[in-house]
Structures are given as structure tokens and as C-alpha cells.
Amino acid sequence: MSDPDGAADPSSPPPPPPPSPSPVPRPAPVEWPEDGVLTRDWVAAFTATLDWCSRNLPPDQLPSVLSADFVRRLLLAAAVILHREPNIVRVDPRPDQAVVVVGDVHGQLHDVIFLLRDAGFPSEERIFVFNGDYVDRGAWGLETLLLLLAWKVSLPNRVFLLRGNHESKYCTSVYGFEREVTVKYKGQGSQVYRKFLRCFEDLPLASIIAGCVYTAHGGIFRGAVVLPSKRAKRAKKGHRHVLSSTDDPITLKLGSLDELLKARRTVLDPPWEGSNLIPGDVLWSDPSMDKGLSLNKERGIGLLWGPDITQQFLYTNNLKIT
């Protein structure tokens, strides 16, 4: 009872405490579907498992739910699909389809889960384009990338995963992903890590959405480099000419989409010298307020490009900013 002014009657027993939430049971080990088909329900259950593990399971116990064999199987299934895709994936939505473009997620599993729920999951009505940097820095790079790869295998024409500069051996060895995999998979860590590296090589480099919007992790790139002929520059027998920053007149010409399509992307660490410089440019280049193209000396790889180069690139390739 209460007195007239609303104060609680001290003689009344206190109300019972609210029931504590039932603990979420530990999920069973994830198994690959017998028919190899990753349905929407399977991916939803996989998402819930990853979420539970990230909140309740010590990192070195993750293999009890996600075995190394399962991880290898998912990476292989995704790599087979990614390998078939060109360097530039074409995303051509129907008028009734939305396209969601996502930037760096860097191992933030819970942010990715929230984003997918908030924006709406990949479906016939909604296409996702991820611009790379799935791993490093965050604590759940492995889980984050596996979740996105599961969506890719489930809906290969509705989820597009591009490569970022952190999908490389150098960055993952410096910024945390290699250590993350080693801690979680211990003795099998080096093998699992190598499988991830192999998958990185198959990630496409860029996308063109609706025929007019270009996306890439870094940006604009130089034209394909033509090495000097032996007559133009005689080299000692047994030695190859290697381009350096002094070769600016040769290297710093705006590249074409056709050249990007022909570039060799299957490199663990994009080269900063030689003839195959386009992948490094696409992944590492930065915009600049200064006009023209110049070497990105701060990074030691890639380019800096000015607003005039942006306009030239868009005009030449019949693209637009929005």
C-alpha cells in the first residue's frame, strides 16, 4: 500500500527483483552445410555464433567453436568466387535495388553486425560494396572477415568485397592481424594465417556502380609502366632495370580503366617499384589539394592526386562523383 502522498508503506514487503536474463547457451561448433549452400538462415546463425564468441569466449578457445578446418573451408569457397571476378567489378543495380557502400571496418565485428541490421541485410533489394580494410587494429578481424566472406558465398552477386591496403602480408604483420590469428589458433595459427593471405590475393581492386561511380580503397592510379628497352638503356648482363622515383616522366601518367583491368592483382604486398605499380596505387594513393600527380613520398608507395586529376579521370571514363 501507499500513503496519500504516494510514499511507499514501510510495512509492505519490497517488490521481488526482476528475473535475471537467461544465459545464452554456448553454441555448438559451426559445421559446413552438407550441400555446401550457405542460406540466409545459416548466415544469421553464424552471425549469432560470432557475436556470442566475441563476448563470452577467450580468444584462444575460439577453435572449439570455429575449427581451423571450417575456417579453411570458408576461405577456399570464398576465394573460388573472388578469383573469378575481374579487377573492377561492375555493380549494375535495378531501379528498385539500393547499393550500400561501406568503408574501413578494421575488425570491429559488433559495428559490422549493427550496420548490416540497420541498413538492411544483403538481399535481392539491397547490394553491399565493401571497400577493404577488414582486419588489423580491431580485436575481431578474423571474425569480421569470415562473416563478410560468408555473405559473399551466400549471395555472390549481392555482396562485393574489394581489397584494402591492410589485406597484405606487410600490414597484417605490423598492425595486429597475424598476431590475432596466432593467438586464436596457436599451433595451427601460421597455416590459418597463410590461408587468409591467399584469399587476400583474390580480392578485386575496384568497383564501378551503376556505370558511373568508381570506388576503390585508395583511388586513382598511374598508367601501366613500360620498362625501357635494352637498346634504350643497356644493362649489365644478368641485371634487370628497376624503376625508381627518378622515372617520373614514365610512371606518372594517369591510368585507364582498361589498364586497371589488366593489372596483376595476385601479389601479397603490392610492389612500390617495377612495372606492376597499379595495384599499389589503387590501394595506397591519397587525394591532395595540390594539382597534378606526384609520388606519395609520405607513404613510400602510391600517388597523390589533385582535383584536376579527379576531373580528368571522371571525364575520361564517363564517371561522376555522386
Side-chain angles (χ1 to χ4, degrees), residues 71-72 75 135-136 142 166 168-174 176-182 185 188-200 268-269:
V71 172
R72 286 191 290 263
L75 287 170
V135 301
D136 286 334
L142 182 146
H166 277 260
S168 66
K169 190 175 190 301
Y170 168 75
C171 281
T172 53
S173 66
V174 173
F177 182 64
E178 181 180 17
R179 175 170 172 74
E180 176 191 341
V181 176
T182 302
Y185 283 88
Q188 294 180 293
S190 60
Q191 296 177 359
V192 173
Y193 174 63
R194 286 196 297 271
K195 294 296 182 182
F196 273 102
L197 294 179
R198 178 64 186 85
C199 187
F200 292 165
L268 279 179
D269 292 300

Side-chain angles (χ1 to χ4, degrees), residues 129-296:
V129 178
F130 291 86
N131 267 335
D133 277 16
Y134 312 106
V135 301
D136 286 334
R137 298 200 172 105
W140 304 283
L142 182 146
E143 292 89 337
T144 298
L145 183 51
L146 290 181
L147 174 58
L148 296 179
L149 291 174
W151 275 113
K152 178 64 180 177
V153 174
S154 176
L155 294 171
N157 297 317
R158 297 293 176 266
V159 176
F160 296 92
L161 305 178
L162 307 184
R163 186 173 179 177
N165 60 343
H166 277 260
E167 278 70 61
S168 66
K169 190 175 190 301
Y170 168 75
C171 281
T172 53
S173 66
V174 173
Y175 294 100
F177 182 64
E178 181 180 17
R179 175 170 172 74
E180 176 191 341
V181 176
T182 302
V183 167
K184 290 175 179 177
Y185 283 88
K186 293 184 177 179
Q188 294 180 293
S190 60
Q191 296 177 359
V192 173
Y193 174 63
R194 286 196 297 271
K195 294 296 182 182
F196 273 102
L197 294 179
R198 178 64 186 85
C199 187
F200 292 165
E201 293 183 336
D202 287 318
L203 291 166
L205 299 175
S207 77
I208 293 181
I209 303 170
C212 60
V213 177
Y214 169 83
T215 78
H217 182 76
I220 288 176
F221 49 94
R222 75 193 82 189
V225 176
V226 179
L227 292 173
S229 66
K230 291 182 179 179
R231 288 187 179 183
K233 181 160 184 171
R234 292 184 179 277
K236 293 181 180 180
K237 188 175 181 180
H239 291 267
R240 296 170 58 191
H241 174 72
V242 177
L243 291 179
S244 68
S245 59
T246 60
D247 292 305
D248 286 5
I250 297 175
T251 62
L252 299 187
K253 177 189 72 172
L254 181 60
S256 68
L257 295 181
D258 186 57
E259 288 172 314
L260 174 54
L261 279 170
K262 295 175 181 178
R264 185 170 65 88
R265 76 175 190 249
T266 54
V267 287
L268 279 179
D269 292 300
W272 53 271
E273 60 182 10
S275 61
N276 188 35
L277 299 177
I278 289 178
D281 290 347
V282 173
L283 299 179
W284 285 93
S285 293
D286 294 306
S288 171
M289 294 302 294
D290 298 327
K291 290 185 177 182
L293 280 175
S294 61
L295 295 176
N296 197 333

Side-chain angles (χ1 to χ4, degrees), residues 23-139:
V24 178
R26 180 190 179 100
V30 178
E31 295 184 0
W32 192 257
E34 290 185 5
D35 57 3
V37 177
L38 304 190
T39 64
R40 184 185 179 96
D41 289 342
W42 187 95
V43 177
F46 185 53
T47 303
T49 296
L50 294 176
D51 190 29
W52 186 94
C53 291
S54 69
R55 298 177 188 276
N56 299 281
L57 209 61
D60 62 353
Q61 293 185 27
L62 183 64
S64 65
V65 178
L66 295 182
S67 69
D69 183 64
F70 167 82
V71 172
R72 286 191 290 263
R73 197 160 186 177
L74 176 53
L75 287 170
L76 177 60
V80 168
I81 296 171
L82 295 167
H83 185 75
R84 297 195 199 106
E85 294 182 335
N87 288 348
I88 308 173
V89 293
R90 297 270 179 171
V91 182
D92 297 312
R94 303 187 307 263
D96 61 329
Q97 289 178 316
V99 179
V100 181
V101 180
V102 184
D104 306 19
V105 295
H106 277 306
Q108 300 299 332
L109 175 68
H110 309 112
D111 289 353
V112 171
I113 292 174
F114 172 81
L115 183 150
L116 290 169
R117 289 173 178 165
D118 187 63
F121 294 103
S123 66
E124 286 300 313
E125 293 77 34
R126 191 170 293 102
I127 300 171
F128 278 79
V129 178
F130 291 86
N131 267 335
D133 277 16
Y134 312 106
V135 301
D136 286 334
R137 298 200 172 105

